[in-house]
Amino acid sequence: MKNQILELLRDSTDYVSGQELCEHFAVSRTAVWKAVEQLKKDGYIIEAVRNRGYRLVTAGNDVYNKAEIDASIDTQYIGRNSFFYNIIGSTNTEAKRLAEEGAVDGTVIVADRQTAGKGRRGRSWISPEGSNIYFSLLLKPDFNPSQAPMLTLVMALAVAEAIDSVIKDIGANQNKNDGTDKNTGTNSCKVKIKWPNDIVINGKKVCGILTEMSVERDYIQHVVIGTGINVKRQKFDAEFAEHASSVEEEIDSFVSRSRLIGLIMNAFEKHYEEFKKTGTLNSLKNEYEQYLVNINREVCVLDPKGEYTGIAQGINDNGELLVRTKDGKVLEVYAGEVSVRGIYGYV
Ligand code: BTN
């Protein structure tokens, strides 16, 4: 009933009387009061006024649960079927399990904490509670397995765009409050993509993406795009401290995790629909390149066959990084085998 009351309050612009709630749910006033108290404990700010009733003022601090995430998603199918866990091993592993049980295309699995979070190259992804976003998006595409790695770039674009819109909102609010120009205000930081799929703000990594795929006889059974975003200010272990940060730290403002997931799902669906038309990044390339931190910069390509440096030119339709070497050749760098470093540091 708690969630239904929340829905009702969310849909109403005015107070909803206790009597109305009692009648609607056929319960006592005490039951309504208890449910409202529960919602307050969850972090919702609900005003109760004698003779008028209850009003949802705002989803207060970081309310992070299924109801809040669902309310933030405005899509046809991406994220419409959602699961939320306070604690889980890995959302990627859970997504695979649910896929085998027949979960629908676009299902999203979100957790507040992971005990066995997985990173790329067999590393683990440290996933404490109350701070970050950990989600896995399950897709059941009918294209060729060779095209699946491009979905990681589609997700990177969606995350960058979503964070960017949070930053722009802050700018707009500052304009409203103190008249500062949103382009020159205090939040002039830039969200970027470090090819192929790390999200960086002010040069520090705030998000990583791990895409896993299940293939049978050349058919994709499912793809799981796992995304971890450092959101709240936090202390990182010494080995990550130099290059890692969080969105709140870098943009110096409160960020709602639920809302950010909603923005990502909305952006992802838009870009994924575009991607599916051609099965390439052709129509997303320009937008992706606008976020690409490496563009026109000298990069070091850590190829197992031998490292080399060059200037990153952008990406091709398959999401490979185009690197112009000293002898003028433009090489296409495939993300699977190599990683790229900035010449003077992480980016
Ligand atoms: C990286 O190494 O940069 C990728 C990290 C991906 C972490 C996310 S958190 C949600 C999902 N579940 C996992 O176990 N890993 C991914």
Side-chain angles (χ1 to χ4, degrees), residues 209-227:
I209 302 172
L210 171 69
T211 298
E212 299 182 286
M213 160 169 67
S214 160
V215 179
E216 213 176 279
R217 275 180 264 109
D218 272 359
Y219 282 102
I220 296 181
Q221 289 195 310
H222 57 257
V223 175
V224 170
I225 311 175
T227 305

Side-chain angles (χ1 to χ4, degrees), residues 90-92 114 117-120 125 135-136 205 208-209 226-228:
S90 152
T91 55
N92 268 27
Q114 296 184 119
K118 297 187 286 184
R120 273 178 299 159
W125 187 258
F135 75 79
S136 297
K205 176 168 172 172
I209 302 172
T227 305

Side-chain angles (χ1 to χ4, degrees), residues 259-277:
R259 177 156 176 273
L260 185 53
I261 292 181
L263 291 169
I264 295 169
M265 296 296 120
N266 301 349
F268 184 86
E269 183 171 281
K270 187 179 74 182
H271 296 316
Y272 185 45
E273 284 305 299
E274 238 354 274
F275 173 82
K276 283 198 290 191
K277 286 184 193 160

Side-chain angles (χ1 to χ4, degrees), residues 1-11 39 44 46 56 65 67-68:
M1 188 178 66
K2 181 179 83 172
N3 288 340
Q4 286 148 310
I5 290 186
L6 180 63
E7 283 305 300
L8 235 151
L9 294 179
R10 216 196 286 280
D11 289 345
L39 287 169
Y44 294 94
I46 296 171
L56 180 67
N65 57 31
E68 201 59 29

Side-chain angles (χ1 to χ4, degrees), residues 121 195 300-308 332-340:
R121 300 177 204 285
W195 181 86
C300 178
V301 180
L302 308 173
D303 191 323
K305 292 186 213 116
E307 286 182 25
Y308 57 91
E332 295 174 328
V333 182
Y334 176 66
E337 309 139 19
V338 301
S339 63
V340 157

